[in-house]
Amino acid sequence: MNSTVLLFLALYFIGMLAVGVISMRRGGSNSMEGYYLSGRNVGPLVTAMTMQSTSMSGYMFLGAGSLGYTQGYYGFWYAAGDIGGGVVNLSVLGRRMRKLSQIMGALTSIEYLEKRYPSKWVRLIAAMLSVSLLGAYVLAQFIAGGKGLELVTGLPYEVALAIAVGVIIAYTLMGGYGAVAYTDLLQSFVMLIGIVWILIATLQEVGGLTAANEAIAAIDPTLLSVWGKDLVHEGQWGIVLGALLIFSIGYMGWPHVVTRHMAMRNPFHARRAGVYSTLWNLVFVSAPYILGTLAILVLPDLDDPEQAIFALAQNLLPAAVVGIVMAAIMAAIMSTADSILLQTGSIAARDLYERFINPNMEEKQMVRVSQLIVLLLGTVCGIVALFEPPAIFSIVVFTTSVLGSAFLPAYVAAVWWRKANTPGALASMIVGSLVAFFWQYLALDGVTGLHPMLAGVVLSSLAMVVASLLTQTSHPVPEHILQAMEETAELRPLPRPLKAQQSFEMAHEALTLKLRERTT
């Protein structure tokens, strides 16, 4: 166990906890809007960095490295989609979702769906899907954190897991979204420095990229192909297109990512945030896949491919730098784990408990319930992570495919298509989630040559269009929603009278939605 590495990690963890304390003192946990969205007061740089670091997760240091190690340059299909994911997300949803969510007074991404598609069933189905899938995603991040700390520090997996989980839960509880967003900002820069440092060291070790490619070609030339080892995916454009989509347009269906739009200080920050996210992606995104591939030469007998980037850092860098790189790896893991943990707890508290069980709670009481659920969820996921940790890549691809398929059409249509209605949203969520789930569970991608994400999004979108058009007469889009959509399309700040209409009282909201359901 290296004391220098432990010192860097200890300082990093203390820094994250300090941000949580500062956010708490600035009122991050005093109100629901403050705890869930940091008072909708997040600037463009923080918006971009929290979106990108949240999107990347521990997958980039474990799953991406593993994919590069086992499949070579095939992983670049995922990287290509990922590079443009941030700017696509912010361009399509950013400004419009920010304005529409504030007009409707939505605090969570699932509450936003119910207010756009008025029905308790929209909220119930969306919330249950989100809590179960995001819970699995939290589990994957905890496993990644435990495995990373175990490898680099020499601590037992159980102890390493407890440390990682404890720090994440602590600052998320204290400061809510503000703590999550500003720790993500710091973590995004730590991630960038760490990945660039280890990439430079690895390229020096293998004699440069050209020499490395020649050496890999001597081992197995198919690893240099974009079709994967032994050309297993050659000509399977359905698989390739799905790999491109999952981390490009797929972001627009992830509740923990689209919440970032709702928290922006100004709707027009979306454009600048898109520039920041693209610049960051251009440097960061491809590096883990390259490192995984280069690890074939440096670590030919590696037992666990998911440890490729960890092992490269240990073998090629001095102890002080290993500490920085390890902090970068933990940053990737924690920046996603905290966001998903907060979002899952918020959805469980606001969209399930308060909406359907106890709608008369006071605001501060609701914040405390959210914190309690975050604590319980984090503890349960931490305990589950102790037993037989599964592959990070498999969990991430599974959960993100189902989430994207279930919610992408609903979020996009909410701000762009005036005819998108409640039956369309319900059909889209149900069809998309079921198709993506069974496509992966039954391994239909191998039979059909279509990626689960591609099949799920296409059929989910088709369900949205067909169901909405067939039910325009029986379930017209309410006039107040059409008027709100018109306002979101305007290139102007939100008028003050619309801001003044906001109410976060669940009892009032439930009654209003019930009356609207009856009239439609």
Side-chain angles (χ1 to χ4, degrees):
M1 187 184 301
N2 190 288
S3 58
T4 306
V5 174
L6 290 179
L7 176 62
F8 272 97
L9 286 174
L11 291 173
Y12 171 71
F13 288 151
I14 292 170
M16 296 302 100
L17 291 172
V19 174
V21 172
I22 293 170
S23 298
M24 180 177 64
R25 290 184 173 178
R26 293 176 63 181
S29 59
N30 290 339
S31 68
M32 287 191 291
E33 192 171 30
Y35 189 72
Y36 290 161
L37 297 174
S38 193
R40 300 186 198 268
N41 196 35
V42 180
L45 178 61
V46 179
T47 294
M49 295 301 97
T50 185
M51 179 175 291
Q52 293 314 121
S53 57
T54 293
S55 303
M56 299 304 165
S57 80
Y59 160 80
M60 294 303 290
F61 283 94
L62 284 91
S66 173
L67 189 62
Y69 193 88
T70 56
Q71 296 295 323
Y73 288 152
Y74 167 73
F76 274 92
W77 292 116
Y78 290 91
D82 215 347
I83 288 173
V87 70
V88 169
N89 193 350
L90 286 157
S91 299
V92 174
L93 294 182
R95 172 176 58 84
R96 290 175 179 250
M97 186 172 181
R98 167 62 176 80
K99 293 181 74 175
L100 188 59
S101 67
Q102 187 170 17
I103 292 172
M104 294 181 169
L107 292 177
T108 72
S109 54
I110 303 305
E111 180 180 2
Y112 167 82
L113 286 177
E114 183 187 19
K115 291 187 173 182
R116 171 58 180 86
Y117 307 106
S119 170
K120 64 182 179 181
W121 295 108
V122 169
R123 195 165 189 162
L124 182 62
I125 293 172
M128 292 178 67
L129 276 172
S130 298
V131 169
S132 58
L133 291 168
L134 292 177
Y137 208 157
V138 170
L139 174 64
Q141 302 314 306
F142 284 178
I143 294 168
K147 291 173 73 172
L149 277 180
E150 176 192 25
L151 179 69
V152 175
T153 65
L155 293 169
Y157 173 74
E158 295 78 8
V159 176
L161 180 67
I163 293 172
V165 172
V167 172
I168 293 168
I169 292 177
Y171 72 74
T172 304
L173 281 176
M174 287 188 289
Y177 186 88
V180 168
Y182 286 96
T183 53
D184 285 355
L185 173 66
L186 298 176
Q187 288 163 342
S188 67
F189 291 115
V190 174
M191 289 163 63
L192 197 64
I193 293 169
I195 201 71
V196 169
W197 208 324
I198 192 172
L199 180 61
I200 292 172
T202 305
L203 286 171
Q204 290 176 338
E205 175 71 16
V206 298
L209 193 58
T210 300
N213 287 338
E214 292 173 352
I216 292 171
I219 297 171
D220 185 349
T222 64
L223 290 171
L224 300 178
S225 165
V226 293
W227 302 115
K229 182 176 173 61
D230 299 326
L231 305 180
V232 65
H233 298 300
E234 185 173 14
Q236 294 183 347
W237 289 105
I239 298 293
V240 167
L241 185 56
L244 284 167
L245 291 177
I246 192 170
F247 295 140
S248 54
I249 68 170
Y251 289 162
M252 293 186 288
W254 299 357
H256 59 292
V257 174
V258 298
T259 304
R260 271 64 193 154
H261 306 311
M262 298 166 61
M264 283 190 292
R265 180 184 307 127
N266 188 315
F268 301 98
H269 284 166
R271 182 175 299 177
R272 202 186 312 170
V275 173
Y276 291 145
S277 67
T278 302
L279 292 174
W280 190 86
N281 284 351
L282 284 171
V283 179
F284 180 83
V285 167
S286 299
Y289 297 97
I290 295 173
L291 285 169
T293 305
L294 297 180
I296 296 171
L297 301 176
V298 182
L299 306 163
D301 300 318
L302 186 65
D303 293 329
D304 183 1
E306 287 196 339
Q307 303 291 343
I309 296 178
F310 292 107
L312 285 173
Q314 276 193 315
N315 281 272
L316 301 180
L317 299 175
V321 181
V322 171
I324 296 173
V325 172
M326 187 60 215
I329 296 170
M330 291 306 300
I333 294 165
M334 293 169 67
S335 63
T336 299
D338 57 16
S339 299
I340 301 175
L341 186 60
L342 176 64
Q343 185 66 193
T344 310
S346 301
I347 292 170
R350 174 77 171 170
D351 299 308
L352 290 176
Y353 180 74
E354 187 182 12
R355 173 66 174 89
F356 294 102
I357 299 173
N358 188 4
N360 296 309
M361 283 192 298
E362 295 181 357
E363 192 166 352
K364 287 189 176 181
Q365 185 183 5
M366 187 62 235
V367 173
R368 300 297 174 260
V369 170
S370 298
Q371 292 173 319
L372 177 61
I373 292 178
V374 166
L375 177 60
L376 290 174
L377 178 66
T379 303
V380 169
C381 287
I383 293 171
V384 173
L386 291 171
F387 303 98
E388 299 296 329
I392 306 301
F393 178 78
S394 300
I395 294 178
V396 169
V397 171
F398 175 80
T399 55
T400 53
S401 293
V402 178
L403 283 170
S405 300
F407 295 125
L408 189 153
Y411 282 123
V412 173
V415 293
W416 286 100
W417 193 33
R418 292 168 59 87
K419 292 185 178 181
N421 64 7
T422 300
L426 286 169
S428 177
M429 289 189 296
I430 294 170
V431 170
S433 58
L434 289 177
V435 168
F437 177 85
F438 284 108
W439 212 273
Q440 294 178 90
Y441 182 75
L442 300 175
L444 295 179
D445 51 340
V447 178
T448 63
L450 296 176
H451 194 283
M453 180 72 181
L454 177 60
V457 168
V458 169
L459 292 177
S460 178
S461 301
L462 185 62
M464 167 66 82
V465 172
V466 172
S468 293
L469 293 178
L470 289 177
T471 58
Q472 285 296 297
T473 302
S474 60
H475 293 80
V477 179
E479 186 60 32
H480 74 281
I481 292 177
L482 295 176
Q483 292 174 358
M485 291 181 69
E486 289 178 5
E487 177 58 40
T488 65
E490 296 293 334
L491 296 174
R492 65 186 183 196
L494 196 63
R496 287 186 179 181
L498 289 176
K499 292 182 181 180
Q501 294 175 11
Q502 294 179 78
S503 172
F504 303 131
E505 295 181 5
M506 189 63 72
H508 171 74
E509 175 192 323
L511 177 61
T512 302
L513 287 167
K514 188 174 182 179
L515 291 173
R516 285 172 178 166
E517 287 176 8
R518 287 178 179 175
T519 58
T520 56

